[in-house]
Each structure stands twice: as structure tokens, then as C-alpha cells.
Amino acid sequence: MPPVGKDAGKTELQTRIQELIEANQVVVFSKSYCPYCVKVKDLFKGLDVKCNVVELDLVEEGTNYQELLGEMTGQKTVPNVFINKTHVGGWDKTKQAHTDGLLQQLLNPDAETYEYDLIVIGGGSGGLACSKEAATLGKKVMVLDYVVPTPKGTTWGLGGTCVNVGCIPKKLMHQTALLGTAMQDARKYGWEFDERVKHNWETMKDAINNYIGSLNWGYRVALRDKNVNYVNAYAEFVEPHKIKAKTKRGKETIHTAARFVLATGERPRYLGIPGDKEYCITSDDLFSLPYCPGKTLLIGASYVALECAGFLAGLGLDVTVMVRSILLRGFDQDMANRAGEHMEQHGVKFLRKYVPVKVEELEAGTPGRLMVTAKSTDGTEFIEAEYNTVLIAVGRDACTDKIGLALAGVKVNPQNGKVPVDDEEQTNVPHIYAIGDILEGKWELTPVAIQAGKLLARRLYAGATLKCDYVNVPTTVFTPLEYGCCGRSEEKAIEMYGEENLEIYHSLFWPLEFTVANRDNNKCYSKIICNKLDNDRVIGFHYLGPNAGEVTQGYGVAIKCGVTKEQLDNTIGIHPTCAEMFTTLDVTKSSGGDIAQAGC
Ligand code: FAD
Ligand code: NAP
């Protein structure tokens, strides 16, 4: 006898639930306000899996659904998740299944099995962070790292740009230069030592490279400890889930993975003029150059060029920077020019509005002699000058053109080779992700690559939802007078909010440490840009002075928290420091008031 009345209704509902479970890959019985249900829905969204959601608080008979589900599964609570007709459970069980890889199996029961859960291409800042985190979460991970030698034959170990040819040797050479300045100051403070103080390039280069060698070794050990399979080989896609790995000796192997992360970074761009690859070097060669570069020309006017020019001049070398247009494009120009002026006052020559045309060798040697011909950017004048070393720093190209991305179906921007990704670092191919310097429109900084890599692994393998926040990233340019900033440049703030809606506070200052040494009086500078439309919130922070990285890091946290001018004013400074300047700024730029610092 067919059921009647209440029983008939129950059977009908049971059939409806059954049909839902059978017709959909994923069904989530949820309640719209339940935070665990939100987590489950976000997890499937992150996995790019369509799920059929029944919000029990919004549908008719929601309570009856819940009771029946309790009878069917022994679970009365929400979320209640079914995948391909299998009951998974609530948030904890779904998350665990995801971590264990069971979720993926349930989602794709007929899926091919792969050698690895994850293959990361590139063992630099981003790749190492991502691979270690994924392995910590129990995944089978391979990371491939391979350094293509520079045209001069320079190569290096595991760890990518930052460790080998970027932040680390750069900061250590900058420190070498600062020590030179400190030695000059030291005499004023009463230290007595021989008049003739020499710097030995080879000693510095060896010491720094030995330290880098220890870091390379440390990375290898860390990968081994975390069970990441590191292979020193060049990787390129041959199919969407398959790569070919080629070692230095030419040995080729094939590997497959369910997912891939591209973290191949960038390499210095050359100019495409006669003599550039034959005779010039880039930052990839400088830090392990076996001889002192001598009289040096740096071509380019951004981070790399200015930082290298700064420390080379600090070592006492004759240094010229050839600038095509402006200093530090994209940065606050007021700050960039102040940093440049300080360099100029300390002996760096700037050849403005010139670009090189050709480089010829006059004499081979270590260093040799090179003749550089340059033309003015308006094309009217040509000049020639002789240097021992020419360092090209005109930008960096993403290493994406020789890794078989077309065979994997990954789209890149044909203009610059950068990889466009969504806000979860996913490329147009769902199982391929990208992080670090190769990303389109993102910061090219080590901590950014690390954060993106770590969070990506957590989202992929631990059900996490936190995304990398690329906004208000603090950064520092390690010019002789360091420049730290966070948030908007003055130009960008004006463009975004209008000059009338901004209040800019600024001040020159003279660090106490400089006073006895009697140098750089009132050359340091602090500036904040406040949005009048939003409670005088600080939207731009700019600092030119010693220890800019340390100062900016702290204020970076405040800016992330949305600090306002009033809160800065209410903060008591630490005296005597440079950082305290930001707690006492009271002259606005619009007032035209005197900003020179008179006393302490
Ligand atoms: P990388 O660190 O470049 O790593 C990519 C790795 O992948 C490399 O080892 C590469 O050889 C390898 N690779 C490429 N293709 C393949 C392939 N097909 N197969 C296998 N391996 C491959 N950032 C800061 O935050 N602070 C600084 O002070 C700073 N200073 C810098 C100074 C200089 C001179 C330069 C050049 C950069 C500096 N940066 C600095 C930037 C920072 O180094 C980069 O943002 C960071 O290294 C990017 O990390 P990544 O993982 O994207 O790439
Ligand atoms: P970049 O920021 O792309 O700047 C390239 C510079 O070269 C610009 O000054 C540009 O001038 C000039 N240029 C380009 N083509 C030229 C040509 N044909 N002739 C003459 N000049 C030319 O490159 P980068 O300095 O190599 O830095 C790369 C990235 O590394 C940066 O984006 C940064 O994120 C990262 N980095 C960070 C740090 C740090 O955190 N301290 C340090 C170093 C590097 P125009 O302005 O005229 O275009």
C-alpha cells in the first residue's frame, strides 16, 4: 500500500533528496548564515568545482530536509556534503578529505593518477615557499630549479634571484658601502686609523659568495627534510599534466602531476645593441664578478641600476648612471629625485636623457676597456666615453617563453611574457598556477612571492581561503640614502583622489648620527599623504633616510591597519630616532611652511 498523508510527504522529500544527490557531482545541504557552510562552499569554489547548494533556512520544508538527512546519514548538522553519491560529512570531514587527497578522488573517480600531487617549476623565493608548504601538508611534491648561465657564463645555486643575484648580495654590498661611510664618520667620533683605507673587491666578493653558498646548502637540506623532491633540471611542459626535465648533462626525464605552479622568475633584459651581450654585464654577473669592475657605467634608472650604482660609488669607484627618462619610474618622483640628488652629491654622475647605441671593446682584461656610444633621446647628439665595465639594468624579462606553456594551454601576455592570473594565482588552465615575478601587474619582491606561494599551497591542500594581499606592500630601495615607501605615491594619490582631497605632511630631518659626523644636513625627508575624504587616513608613506627598510616595515603594519593622521599624532615617538619623525609631522605641503629641522 502506497504511503499516505505525512508519510507520503516524507517519501516524496526523500526521493527529492535522493534525486539531488544522484544528479549532481557535489551537493551541499547548508544554511545561509552558517560559517562552516561558507567554508565548504568556498573550498569547492577554490577547487573550481560547481556545487549544488540547498540552503535549508531558505527553502520550504527545510527542517524536514534536515530531519530526513539525519535519518539517512546519521548527521543532523549542516553543512552536509555529498560527492558523486558518497556522503562525506560536515566541514571537518570535508576539509580532512581534501587534505588527504580523498576529496579529489571522490570528485574524479576515473581521473588519471599522477606521479606527483604538485610540481613546482622554479626554486626561487616563491617556488621554495610553495613546495615546502605543500609537502608539509602531506603532498607529494617535486621542485625543479635550473639556472641558465648568463652570456658571460655566470651561474649559481638553489634559491633563485633573491639569494644569489638579488636582495642578499645587493644588501651585503650596500652594507659594505655603508661601512665605508661609517669609517669616514668614525674619525669625527675620535677613531684614529691610517689615512689610507682600501677596499678589496675580491675579499668582499668571496665573503658574500661563501655566505650565499651556505644559504644554497640550507635550502637543499630544508627541501630534503620536508620530503620535497628537488631536481636540478630545466623543466618544460610537453602536455598539460606532463613536463620534460633536462639536466645540465642533457639527461631527460618525464614527470606528471595533478597540479603545477609556475615560479620561474625573471632574468635581466639586454638592449639589443651591438656589443651588449659580448661586452656588458648585468646584475646577474656583478655579485660574483671575480675582479673589481673599475670605472662603471650603469644603464637604466630603476631599482637595480640605482642600488648597484650606489654601492659601487660607495666602494670608491667612478660611477655613471645613464638615464633614459626619469629615476625610479612608478615611485613618488619627489622622493626618487631626492634619492638621486643625494647620490649625485656623493659622486655618482648622471647622464640624463641618453640611451646607448653601441659598446665596443678597446682592450680585453679584468676589467678591460670599453667604449660606449650613446645618443640623446631627442636624437640630436652623440657622445662617446670610456669605461671599464658596463652594467645593463633596463628591466627584466619573465622566463615564460621556453617552458612549453603553449603545449599546456597557458596564456601569457604576448607584450611582456607575464602570466595573467585571478586573485587566487590560477592561470587560465585550472590545474596550473603562477606566483612571483612572472605575474602580470603584481609586485616583483621576494616577500610577495613567498607569501603568494605559501598561501596558495594552503588553499590548495588545507582548505584555507586566505588570498595573497597585494595592496599596501611596503618596499625599500637601498640607495645610499635609503628610500622606503608604502601605499600611494603623491602623483598616484592626486590622480586617484584629486589634490584638493589630500593633505600632505612633510619634513626634512637630520639624523642624530649624522650630526657629529657633520654630513647630509637636512637631506633626509619624511612625507605622508592623507585622504581628507576618509578621516585623514594615511594612504602614502615615504621615508628617505637611514635604515629605511626597518622604519618602513613597522609603519607598513600601521598602514595595513588603516592608520590615520590623528593616530600617528597620538603615538609617542622613540627618541632619538628617525622613525619618530612620523609622530610629529605638522607642516603641510600646501602651507609652504618651513620644513628644515632645527633642533632635536
Ligand atoms: P626567482 O627568485 O627569480 O626564482 C625563479 C627560479 O626559477 C630561478 O632559480 C630560475 O633559474 C628558475 N627557473 C626558471 N625557469 C626554469 C625552468 N624552466 N626550469 C627550472 N627552473 C627554472 N626583492 C626584494 O624584496 N628586496 C630586495 O632588496 C630585492 N633586491 C633585488 C635586487 C636585484 C638586483 C634583483 C634582480 C631583484 C631584487 N629583488 C628584491 C626582487 C626579488 O629577487 C624577486 O622578486 C624574487 O626573487 C622573485 O622570486 P620568484 O620566485 O618569482 O623568482
Ligand atoms: P625596471 O623597474 O623595469 O626599470 C627599468 C629601467 O631601465 C627604467 O629606468 C627604464 O627607463 C630603463 N630602460 C628600459 N629600457 C631601456 C633602454 N632601452 N635604454 C635605456 N634605459 C632603459 O627594472 P629593474 O630596475 O631591473 O627592476 C626589476 C624589478 O626588480 C623591479 O620591478 C623591482 O620590483 C625588483 N627589485 C626590487 C628591489 C628592492 O626591493 N629593493 C631591488 C631591485 C629590484 P624608463 O623609465 O625610461 O622606462
Side-chain angles (χ1 to χ4, degrees):
M1 203 168 75
V4 285
K6 198 173 156 217
D7 282 349
K10 187 174 166 184
T11 313
E12 199 187 309
L13 202 58
Q14 210 160 14
T15 313
R16 229 183 296 157
I17 293 176
Q18 246 350 306
E19 278 171 1
L20 266 172
I21 293 171
E22 273 167 37
N24 293 288
Q25 187 191 19
V26 178
V27 184
V28 178
F29 294 96
S30 153
K31 284 188 182 166
S32 59
Y33 53 80
C34 156
Y36 295 104
C37 300
V38 172
K39 286 187 184 194
V40 158
K41 287 178 268 186
D42 281 348
L43 172 66
F44 286 112
K45 196 169 155 228
L47 294 171
D48 212 20
V49 171
K50 188 176 172 294
C51 60
N52 196 301
V53 180
V54 183
E55 302 289 9
L56 297 183
D57 58 323
L58 303 180
V59 294
E60 243 180 72
E61 296 190 84
T63 324
N64 295 340
Y65 269 89
Q66 199 166 353
E67 253 177 46
L68 267 176
L69 282 165
E71 283 175 25
M72 287 165 68
T73 64
Q75 179 195 327
K76 275 194 172 166
T77 53
V78 288
N80 202 340
V81 179
F82 293 81
I83 300 178
N84 282 325
K85 306 184 201 51
T86 305
H87 177 237
V88 179
W91 162 242
D92 284 345
K93 290 210 170 136
T94 309
K95 190 175 138 203
Q96 191 58 47
H98 182 230
T99 309
D100 297 343
L102 183 67
L103 203 66
Q104 285 73 1
Q105 270 174 35
L106 284 171
L107 285 167
N108 301 301
D110 306 324
E112 238 182 276
T113 49
Y114 299 107
E115 193 183 351
Y116 290 95
D117 294 310
L118 177 69
I119 290 183
V120 178
I121 307 180
S125 309
L128 288 181
C130 186
S131 55
K132 284 190 284 188
E133 191 69 15
T136 304
L137 294 169
K139 296 294 131 186
K140 191 174 173 204
V141 183
M142 174 187 225
V143 62
L144 299 108
D145 190 63
Y146 186 87
V147 179
V148 178
T150 71
K152 290 273 176 203
T154 313
T155 184
W156 49 89
L158 177 63
T161 303
C162 169
V163 185
N164 297 286
V165 287
C167 331
I168 300 295
K170 180 278 301 290
K171 182 96 189 275
L172 291 172
M173 292 199 178
H174 171 64
Q175 171 64 7
T176 311
L178 292 182
L179 286 173
T181 310
M183 263 189 296
Q184 290 165 21
D185 289 358
R187 293 185 200 281
K188 305 259 178 49
Y189 282 92
W191 290 100
E192 293 172 4
F193 47 94
D194 285 349
E195 276 309 308
R196 220 175 113 65
V197 177
K198 284 194 311 180
H199 178 259
N200 186 318
W201 174 275
E202 216 181 313
T203 308
M204 171 190 72
K205 186 262 302 171
D206 286 346
I208 292 175
N209 284 276
N210 286 341
Y211 175 63
I212 292 173
S214 74
L215 294 178
N216 298 144
W217 175 248
Y219 290 129
R220 270 175 176 260
V221 173
L223 290 177
R224 200 182 51 207
D225 287 351
K226 294 202 183 286
N227 286 324
V228 175
N229 183 18
Y230 159 61
V231 177
N232 181 205
Y234 189 86
E236 82 183 82
F237 280 96
V238 286
E239 284 174 26
H241 281 276
K242 196 179 274 181
I243 54 151
K244 180 175 80 184
K246 190 171 178 182
T247 67
K248 197 169 146 193
R249 296 211 171 91
K251 188 178 161 224
E252 287 185 1
T253 48
I254 296 287
H255 305 277
T256 60
R259 289 196 177 100
F260 291 83
V261 171
L262 310 174
T264 49
E266 296 183 314
R267 294 295 291 270
R269 185 177 305 146
Y270 281 81
L271 286 158
I273 59 167
D276 66 346
K277 285 197 173 155
E278 294 92 320
Y279 307 123
C280 302
I281 62 166
T282 67
S283 54
D284 279 0
D285 302 295
L286 178 69
F287 301 112
S288 57
L289 202 66
Y291 53 85
C292 177
K295 182 180 175 186
T296 303
L297 173 70
L298 294 105
I299 302 166
S302 196
Y303 266 119
V304 176
L306 295 193
E307 291 183 332
C308 294
F311 70 69
L312 290 176
L315 302 184
L317 303 183
D318 181 333
V319 172
T320 305
V321 182
M322 190 182 284
V323 183
R324 177 169 72 175
S325 56
I326 54 170
L327 305 186
L328 294 176
R329 180 175 298 285
F331 284 89
D332 189 293
Q333 282 302 292
D334 171 21
M335 302 303 294
N337 291 331
R338 286 174 193 270
E341 269 165 36
H342 175 267
M343 288 174 73
E344 219 157 358
Q345 282 155 6
H346 287 266
V348 178
K349 286 168 262 182
F350 284 89
L351 193 52
R352 288 173 194 267
K353 303 247 182 299
Y354 272 91
V355 289
V357 181
K358 64 177 174 184
V359 180
E360 295 160 295
E361 187 172 58
L362 299 176
E363 188 188 331
T366 53
R369 284 169 49 231
L370 301 170
M371 178 62 78
V372 178
T373 308
K375 72 165 188 233
S376 56
T377 47
D378 62 8
T380 56
E381 275 181 51
F382 283 80
I383 50 166
E384 283 187 339
E386 199 186 309
Y387 301 93
N388 297 119
T389 298
V390 177
L391 188 151
I392 301 173
V394 294
R396 297 168 59 79
D397 290 324
C399 302
T400 52
D401 58 337
K402 296 188 184 75
I403 55 171
L405 289 184
L407 294 174
V410 177
K411 284 191 190 136
V412 296
N413 179 342
Q415 311 289 327
N416 56 16
K418 295 265 188 172
V419 183
V421 289
D422 64 11
D423 62 353
E424 303 208 39
E425 286 86 28
Q426 193 173 35
T427 70
N428 64 304
V429 178
H431 70 277
I432 304 180
Y433 299 78
I435 53 173
D437 281 5
I438 58 170
L439 294 191
E440 170 101 73
K442 301 283 195 287
W443 289 92
E444 293 169 16
L445 295 169
T446 279
V448 175
I450 293 174
Q451 178 87 335
K454 203 170 60 182
L455 295 183
L456 172 61
R458 288 182 191 167
R459 286 198 308 276
L460 292 179
Y461 301 120
T465 50
L466 195 62
K467 297 171 195 171
C468 183
D469 183 357
Y470 294 94
V471 177
N472 285 336
V473 172
T475 181
T476 288
V477 185
F478 294 94
T479 35
L481 205 50
E482 298 167 5
Y483 165 38
C485 61
C486 182
R488 309 286 175 204
S489 66
E490 197 173 325
E491 294 83 354
K492 191 76 195 168
I494 291 173
E495 185 192 313
M496 290 176 73
Y497 301 97
E499 202 165 357
E500 66 285 6
N501 295 317
L502 301 175
E503 198 67 271
I504 297 169
Y505 296 84
H506 65 161
S507 180
L508 289 166
F509 63 98
W510 197 18
L512 182 64
E513 297 81 348
F514 293 9
T515 54
V516 171
N518 197 22
R519 70 172 159 97
D520 299 320
N521 188 350
N522 270 298
K523 294 292 179 230
C524 296
Y525 182 67
S526 50
K527 172 166 91 174
I528 55 168
I529 303 162
C530 302
N531 182 1
K532 287 202 265 187
L533 300 175
D534 183 19
N535 202 21
D536 269 342
R537 201 169 303 287
V538 181
I539 55 165
F541 171 95
H542 301 273
Y543 168 94
L544 183 72
N547 307 308
E550 315 298 338
V551 173
T552 309
Q553 183 68 80
Y555 282 105
V557 177
I559 290 179
K560 223 46 275 81
C561 298
V563 72
T564 61
K565 175 69 169 76
E566 192 186 5
Q567 286 166 331
L568 282 183
D569 293 343
N570 286 341
T571 304
I572 294 176
I574 301 172
H575 190 65
T577 63
C578 296
E580 70 176 317
M581 288 306 300
F582 291 96
T583 63
T584 55
L585 288 175
D586 57 4
V587 181
T588 62
K589 208 168 181 184
S590 55
S591 73
D594 184 13
I595 56 166
Q597 191 190 19
C600 93

